């Protein structure tokens, strides 16, 4: 009906599981798996599934999760009682050690299923890229970049990205990880601190003590030991409140363009956290769907096999707009789609404004003050270029 056809000369796969979306972190918790339903509803209303290979993802197995996570952590995650269940005498101890059961990472019903489905989608995406059945694989249910080997953190329990990148490393010599979530991608950075086969780049709001997780300063480039091949392979782009599309796009293209020349990745893992959009419940930036999506388009134009992950995003209508539009970029349909949200879209009224591209005024009323000076952004570019002088292979 909308004339959306399969892209010429390459294949896009879409990995999702509607079961995942039924899980709840708790009444007022910002993370709402339901945003994935809203995204899928928009993707389908535009007819995009016709242009992709669609997979209903399975849950990752214990062994697969064990490729990164410690066994004692996984065992506890698999057996942890939900918050409203009677507690084991032994548990308070482990909950503290594993950072489980607090307000950020609550123990909710079906937690292990939710985590293993998120990782299953990302791992399926990585396998499709590895065996060349897809050129771009989309896993909006993944992107949970804060989880550590033996610790939950910031709404993330299983680091599906690390598990997927480990899979990519079996088939590709070098993987570039890019993270446009408003938070620092600390878990992924840390997991690959000691290898030069993965370069991690995170763009984020940086204000230690005030903004989570507090790491990711400009000088944080991996442990600078002489014997660590991973030194200089962590790149951080610390930003202030209110950055605009124009500034962010320029910074992104300059930095990623240069990294592509120097590091020459054979695959890209792109975390598309949508909490960097204006009007996000937890975010601080002034990005519009257009600016966020321009980053995805820039990566796509590099013509390198790519996984697109989800991540943060706490105003579901904006998350769905961004991820649906970014799906259209993957299938090269973004110039064809009507910005007016189709009449038959389920939950259409949830979008409030009937366009994919509401103006900043529509989203926010008053845009957030921009605290990023051109001078500071120039310093950041300069520092990144200096780090890249150490990168050789
Ligand atoms: C909430 O309303 O900064 C959790 C978390 C639960 C429900 C009711 C409980 C009220 C905001 C956040 C008490 C909430 C106290 N509920 C939360 C240091 C903190 C300790 C916890 O996008 N309090 C911790 C994590 C960040 C902190 C951000 C981003 C993930 C990602 C990838 C993770 N944690 C201070 C906050 C609420 C809540 C309201 C909240 N938590 C906002 N920011 C955080 O990068 C998916
Ligand atoms: Ca980030
Ligand atoms: Zn985030």
């Amino acid at each position: 009906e909308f004339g959306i056809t399969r892209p010429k000369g390459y294949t896009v796969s879409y990995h999702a599981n509607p079961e995942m979306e039924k899980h709840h972190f708790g009444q007022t918790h910002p993370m709402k798996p339901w945003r994935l339903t809203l995204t899928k509803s928009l993707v389908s209303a535009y007819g995009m599934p016709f242009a992709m290979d669609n997979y209903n993802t399975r849950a990752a197995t214990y062994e697969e999760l064990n490729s990164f996570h410690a066994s004692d952590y996984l065992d506890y995650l698999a057996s942890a009682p939900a918050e409203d269940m009677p507690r084991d005498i032994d548990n308070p101890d482990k909950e503290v050690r594993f950072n489980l059961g607090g307000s950020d990472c609550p123990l909710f019903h079906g937690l292990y299923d939710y985590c293993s489905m998120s990782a299953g989608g990302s791992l399926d995406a990585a396998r499709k890229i590895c065996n060349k059945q897809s050129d771009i694989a989309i896993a909006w249910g993944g992107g949970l970049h804060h989880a550590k080997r033996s610790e939950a953190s910031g709404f993330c329990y299983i680091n599906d990205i690390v598990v997927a990148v480990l899979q990519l490393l079996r088939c590709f010599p070098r993987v570039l990880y890019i993270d446009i979530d408003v938070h620092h991608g600390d878990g992924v950075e840390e997991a690959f601190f000691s290898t030069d086969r993965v370069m991690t780049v995170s763009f984020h709001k940086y204000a230690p003590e005030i903004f989570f997780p507090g790491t990711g300063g400009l000088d944080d480039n991996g442990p600078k030991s002489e014997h660590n091949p991973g030194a200089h392979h962590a790149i951080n782009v610390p930003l202030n409140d209110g950055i605009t599309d124009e500034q962010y796009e320029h910074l992104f293209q300059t930095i990623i363009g240069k990294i592509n020349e120097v590091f020459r990745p054979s695959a890209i893992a792109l975390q598309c956290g949508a909490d960097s959009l204006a009007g996000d419940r937890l975010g601080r930036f002034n990005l519009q769907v257009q600016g966020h999506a321009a980053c995805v388009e820039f990566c796509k134009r590099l013509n390198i096999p790519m996984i697109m992950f989800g991540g943060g995003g706490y105003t579901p209508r904006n998350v769905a707009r961004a991820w649906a539009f970014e799906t259209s970029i993957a299938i090269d349909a973004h110039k064809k789609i009507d910005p007016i949200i189709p009449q038959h879209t389920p939950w259409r009224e949830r979008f409030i404004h009937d366009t994919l591209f509401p103006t900043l005024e529509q989203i926010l009323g008053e845009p957030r003050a921009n605290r990023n000076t051109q001078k500071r952004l120039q310093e950041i570019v300069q520092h990144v270029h200096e780090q890249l002088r150490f990168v050789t292979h």
Side-chain angles (χ1 to χ4, degrees), residues 11-231:
T11 304
V12 178
S13 57
Y14 191 94
H15 305 263
N17 188 335
E19 287 303 305
M20 194 184 159
E21 299 148 24
K22 294 177 186 158
H23 293 83
H24 297 276
F25 279 62
Q27 277 265 303
T28 57
H29 194 286
M31 179 57 98
K32 309 221 173 289
W34 183 78
R35 70 210 172 116
L36 298 168
T37 309
L38 201 59
T39 302
K40 186 64 200 285
S41 132
L42 207 47
V43 165
S44 299
Y46 275 109
M48 295 188 224
F50 295 114
M52 308 185 280
D53 291 340
N54 303 283
Y55 297 98
N56 201 354
T57 58
R58 65 195 172 82
T61 65
Y62 180 96
E63 288 69 31
E64 288 168 337
L65 302 179
N66 206 201
S67 68
F68 175 55
H69 291 284
S71 301
D72 60 344
Y73 175 62
L74 291 176
D75 292 341
Y76 189 70
L77 207 57
S79 67
E83 222 103 84
D84 54 1
M85 301 293 275
R87 352 237 358 114
D88 194 305
I89 188 86
D90 190 42
N91 284 350
D93 206 51
K94 284 186 168 159
E95 288 179 9
V96 170
R97 181 148 58 96
F98 298 141
N99 190 29
L100 292 165
S103 54
D104 274 356
C105 302
L107 293 167
F108 56 84
H109 284 280
L111 172 62
Y112 189 81
D113 292 337
Y114 165 84
C115 295
S116 50
M117 278 188 262
S118 159
S122 301
L123 201 44
D124 282 353
R127 293 222 171 93
K128 287 287 159 196
I129 296 292
C130 265
N131 64 27
K132 315 264 191 264
Q133 289 182 46
S134 304
D135 299 284
I136 302 178
I138 300 174
W140 295 134
L144 306 179
H145 59 180
H146 298 306
K148 312 286 157 44
R149 184 175 126 84
S150 304
E151 199 187 313
S153 172
F155 320 162
C156 306
Y157 305 80
I158 291 290
N159 202 315
D160 62 288
I161 303 168
V162 172
V163 172
V165 169
L166 288 171
Q167 179 69 40
L168 291 177
L169 288 173
R170 295 181 180 193
C171 335
F172 297 103
R174 289 179 303 282
V175 176
L176 174 59
Y177 172 68
I178 306 170
D179 184 318
I180 60 171
D181 189 288
V182 76
H183 299 98
H184 176 224
D186 57 349
V188 184
E189 177 184 276
E190 186 187 289
F192 298 111
F193 249 171
S194 55
T195 176
D196 55 3
R197 292 183 60 202
V198 179
M199 179 171 280
T200 62
V201 192
S202 176
F203 297 76
H204 46 266
K205 153 87 182 167
Y206 181 66
E209 316 291 316
I210 302 172
F211 196 74
F212 187 86
T215 49
L218 190 57
D219 293 323
D220 163 15
N221 300 110
K224 285 187 189 70
S225 120
E226 236 182 275
H227 305 289
N228 174 22

Side-chain angles (χ1 to χ4, degrees), residues 37 122 196 233 247 299 349 363:
T37 309
S122 301
D196 55 3
H233 284 68
Q247 287 178 318
C299 292
E349 69 285 0
I363 301 167

